[in-house]
Amino acid sequence: MSRSTDINLPADGSGSLRPGGAGDVDPSIEFTPDTAHPAGAATLLRTTTAIRQRAGALLARARRDESQWFRIGNDDALEDAARTVAEVTRERYPWDTIPYHSRWRHFEAGGVDRRQQLDALLGQGIDARQRARAYIDLVLVSVLLDAGAGPTWHYTESASGQRFTRSEGLGVASFHAFTSGLFSSDPDHPLQVDAAGLRGLVTDRLGDAFQVSDVNPLVGLAGRTVLLRRLGEAMSEQPETFGDDGRPAGMFDALVAPFGAASPPTAEITAHQILSLLLETLSRIWPAANAIDSLAADGSDNLGGTGDPAFALGDCWRHSAVRGPGLTNGWMPFHKLSQWLTYSLLEPFEWAGVKVRQLDALTALPEYRNGGLLIDSGVIVPREAAFLTRRWKAGDEFIVEWRALTVALLDEIAPRVRKVLDRTAEELPLACVLEGGTWAAGRVLAQRLRDGAPPLLIESDGTVF
């Protein structure tokens, strides 16, 4: 399959456009991949346009009362949810600037500026590009370790003496694992992530770094370790993107290099180009056995398949009501962790002087907090109370539809939040609404209603939830 930087698709979220190519292609032209073949189908399912279109169709279906799983609350419920988000946003960010929803917020947990700590460790003798490469290495492994930690796990930071749980704890723990050199194979260069370091990672060492014990269990520890080892293997197999050492930082050069190594401040890329590169180069790391040729165009199972990692879909699941062309029929894509990673990479690129455009091509992240906000606000209403007490798997249609509804409904809530806060879409892009925002409001309601637990019970392997 061709690389994302070579695919002639618009850069507005319907696909990817090669860096520097905005003047060569009219973004109003729709380039339709050949979905009769796995390569074209995978390309389509890796776009946020496909996510939004299919999520919107499931929302419209639920509003027609055709869903067996959910009803949708009325306009008052949407307005109430928007007001809740706006109130939480004002409490969290009483000043004007609301940052992006990003892993970097977790690195700031407890009021500690860990980016400054990393800069001090990196020293003054490196340029903005080298600094960005270290940031990208850190963020990629940290986000891949960011699936739900479980209700009892915690991490105590020795330097500050503070105790952190959930996403903040995972962020702080992964930061210190990175600075200790856990993910580097080169003792002389500990502040990096490389393929050899990840391929040699063992579960016990990762568990020690995260202070895991019998009395401090971390959900999905083995799954997280396997994911990082697979990342190491994927990077070593793609030196054209990740370099001979296999570093996540190779993404920076892959996206910015067309503009010239000496002038990153003049570079301009889109958020979807970052996402497309992630989805194409890292498709093989996801353990979910979801590959484009495992579903036929008529929606029936197509046993066998090529097994080609280029067609692996990762966070993309079957739903009986989803319609689409060719081999994409029946698939509902999300790419939550990859989009969370993209949101978290915006700042490293911008700090290096690269302008990242079209942020709102990315979608809301369909996970516990954003989706929980909508259930707890009465916007998404399960048809049976028993649905809230049974245990689900990520691929169950109930969960797939809940996540799709979350994506579509947060697109409706975002402008309502802006209206309450008197902000424009340019002043408050979706990345900032999420941070202000929907994720935090979901956590607030969960804390109020269930001592922080999410409204749904989902089995986790540490890679999706």
Side-chain angles (χ1 to χ4, degrees), residues 51-119:
I51 298 173
R52 280 194 163 96
Q53 288 175 343
R54 293 165 191 236
L58 288 179
L59 175 59
R61 174 176 172 269
R63 281 184 164 141
R64 294 193 302 267
D65 204 33
E66 295 173 9
S67 169
Q68 71 182 96
W69 306 111
F70 300 101
R71 293 187 297 272
I72 304 301
N74 59 21
D75 200 64
D76 289 343
L78 276 170
E79 289 292 340
D80 287 346
R83 279 193 291 270
T84 297
V85 172
E87 289 168 7
V88 171
T89 300
R90 287 195 183 108
E91 290 172 5
R92 285 166 49 81
Y93 296 103
W95 54 91
D96 285 341
T97 303
I98 301 170
Y100 298 145
H101 189 51
S102 162
R103 192 55 156 169
W104 293 94
R105 306 292 78 77
H106 297 154
F107 295 147
E108 299 161 357
V112 178
D113 188 344
R114 295 179 185 82
R115 178 190 169 199
Q116 186 179 58
Q117 292 179 359
L118 178 55
D119 285 342

Side-chain angles (χ1 to χ4, degrees), residues 196-217:
L198 293 181
R199 290 202 312 268
L201 189 65
V202 295
T203 303
D204 286 350
R205 285 195 68 200
L206 185 64
D208 289 344
F210 280 66
Q211 301 176 354
V212 175
S213 68
D214 290 341
V215 295
N216 189 34

Side-chain angles (χ1 to χ4, degrees), residues 227 230 283 285-291 312-317 394 461 463-464:
L227 193 62
R230 286 180 171 172
S283 64
I285 77 172
W286 305 111
N290 296 339
L313 296 176
D315 189 15
C316 185
W317 308 89
D461 65 357
T463 62
V464 176

Side-chain angles (χ1 to χ4, degrees), residues 278-307:
L278 287 169
L279 290 175
E280 291 207 10
T281 58
L282 302 184
S283 64
R284 66 197 70 193
I285 77 172
W286 305 111
N290 296 339
I292 187 57
D293 51 354
S294 63
L295 196 71
D298 63 0
S300 63
D301 283 336
N302 179 16
L303 297 178
T306 65

Side-chain angles (χ1 to χ4, degrees), residues 383-401:
R383 285 194 173 274
E384 297 180 20
F387 292 164
L388 295 173
T389 56
R390 65 167 282 188
R391 186 168 293 275
W392 302 93
K393 295 181 179 178
D396 288 338
E397 190 169 283
F398 174 86
I399 296 300
V400 175
E401 185 166 325

